[in-house]
């Protein structure tokens, strides 16, 4: 039981490049979330998916797209990376019963 | 706009001290409040508090919610160097139509415990 996994762990992009961050959970959770964490800013919600086949915007969705591929996987795509997207990205999931969210180990992204 | 404010933002103490971390909130559709501990990587869950006002305890950590005054505190007694971390407070907002409950996080309190 790996919990929530994320790939890659680290990534450096040039401005304008695109990439997809992958997230998978093996806990049979319905809801999944993408956050970014910047120094002194706490965690901010980018997008979330209440269930397979649905996605919705969070607090800071601009510049990102998401795909809920199936119940296990929720990916985050940067179509044209910008330096302002330099951050640590966390994926999380939760069951429909508890409000506790389980977090993945994070992806540290640098855009130069 | 939903707001969660933590204080202090940073705190340095000596081993053995007792600390109190604060979290106040102004949100619509409050459901519950969560505390997380974040060391080097992902946040890990500590407590969930609801409007019942029941205190939660785990070892040297305890937390309570004041639903009238809209704040929560996290107490750590007899601190140890292993308590050094960022402590995050998050408020769960009720589900919107067709959506899911969402968390709104505070900026965190960075606690440093020196030997």
């Amino acid at each position: 039981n790996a919990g929530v996994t994320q790939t890659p762990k680290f990534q450096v992009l040039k401005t304008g490049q695109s990439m997809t961050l992958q997230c998978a959970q093996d806990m049979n959770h319905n809801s999944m979330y993408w956050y970014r964490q910047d120094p002194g800013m706490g965690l901010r919600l980018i997008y979330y998916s209440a269930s397979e086949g649905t996605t919705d915007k969070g607090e800071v969705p601009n510049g990102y797209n998401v795909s809920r591929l199936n119940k296990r996987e929720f990916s985050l795509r940067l179509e044209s990376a910008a330096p302002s997207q330099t951050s640590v990205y966390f994926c999380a999931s939760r069951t429909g019963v508890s409000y506790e969210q389980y977090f993945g180990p994070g992806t540290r992204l640098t855009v130069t | 706009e939903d707001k969660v404010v933590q204080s202090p933002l940073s705190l340095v103490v000596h081993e053995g001290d007792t600390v109190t971390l604060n979290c106040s909130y102004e949100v619509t559709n409050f459901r519950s409040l969560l505390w997380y501990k974040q060391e080097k990587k992902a946040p890990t869950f500590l407590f969930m508090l609801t409007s019942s006002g029941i205190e939660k305890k785990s070892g040297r950590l305890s937390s309570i919610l004041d639903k009238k005054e809209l704040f929560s505190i996290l107490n750590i007694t007899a601190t140890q160097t292993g308590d050094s971390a960022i402590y995050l407070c998050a408020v769960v907002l009720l589900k919107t139509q067709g959506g899911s409950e969402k968390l709104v996080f505070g900026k965190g309190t960075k606690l440093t415990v020196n030997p």
Side-chain angles (χ1 to χ4, degrees), chain B residues 25-44:
Chain B
Y25 57 92
E26 288 180 40
V27 300
T28 52
N29 301 320
F30 174 87
R31 186 71 159 179
S32 65
L33 185 144
L34 309 178
W35 282 97
Y36 283 87
K37 178 182 182 181
Q38 185 177 25
E39 294 175 88
K40 294 201 186 305
K41 291 189 176 178
T44 53

Side-chain angles (χ1 to χ4, degrees), chain B residues 47-93:
Chain B
F47 298 116
M48 183 178 83
L49 301 157
T50 65
S51 298
S52 68
I54 295 174
E55 183 182 20
K56 295 291 180 77
K57 282 188 175 184
S58 177
R60 296 176 294 102
L61 277 66
S62 64
S63 184
I64 195 161
L65 176 75
D66 185 324
K67 68 171 182 177
K68 183 180 175 186
E69 299 299 328
L70 306 182
F71 75 90
S72 174
I73 59 172
L74 175 68
N75 277 322
I76 308 175
T77 59
T79 52
Q80 301 170 358
T81 55
D83 294 326
S84 295
I86 296 173
Y87 290 84
L88 296 166
C89 167
V91 172
V92 181
L93 304 183

Side-chain angles (χ1 to χ4, degrees), chain A residues 9 31 33 35 37 40-45 48-50 54 56-59 90 94 98-106, chain B residues 1 31-32 34 36 38 40-45 48 86 88 92 94-96 98-108:
Chain A
K9 287 189 170 56
S31 300
Y33 306 81
Y35 294 90
Q37 186 175 35
M41 293 294 290
L43 284 153
R44 292 184 292 169
L45 182 64
Y48 67 99
S49 170
T54 69
D56 211 342
K57 293 178 181 179
E59 185 185 350
F90 288 101
R94 74 169 189 90
S98 167
Y99 299 125
E100 176 190 350
Q101 292 187 9
Y102 295 81
F103 286 83
Chain B
E1 184 185 343
R31 186 71 159 179
S32 65
L34 309 178
Y36 283 87
Q38 185 177 25
K40 294 201 186 305
K41 291 189 176 178
T44 53
F45 174 76
M48 183 178 83
I86 296 173
L88 296 166
V92 181
L94 277 171
K95 185 186 295 194
T96 56
S100 172
E101 286 86 0
K102 293 190 288 188
L103 297 188
V104 177
F105 281 84
K107 294 183 179 181

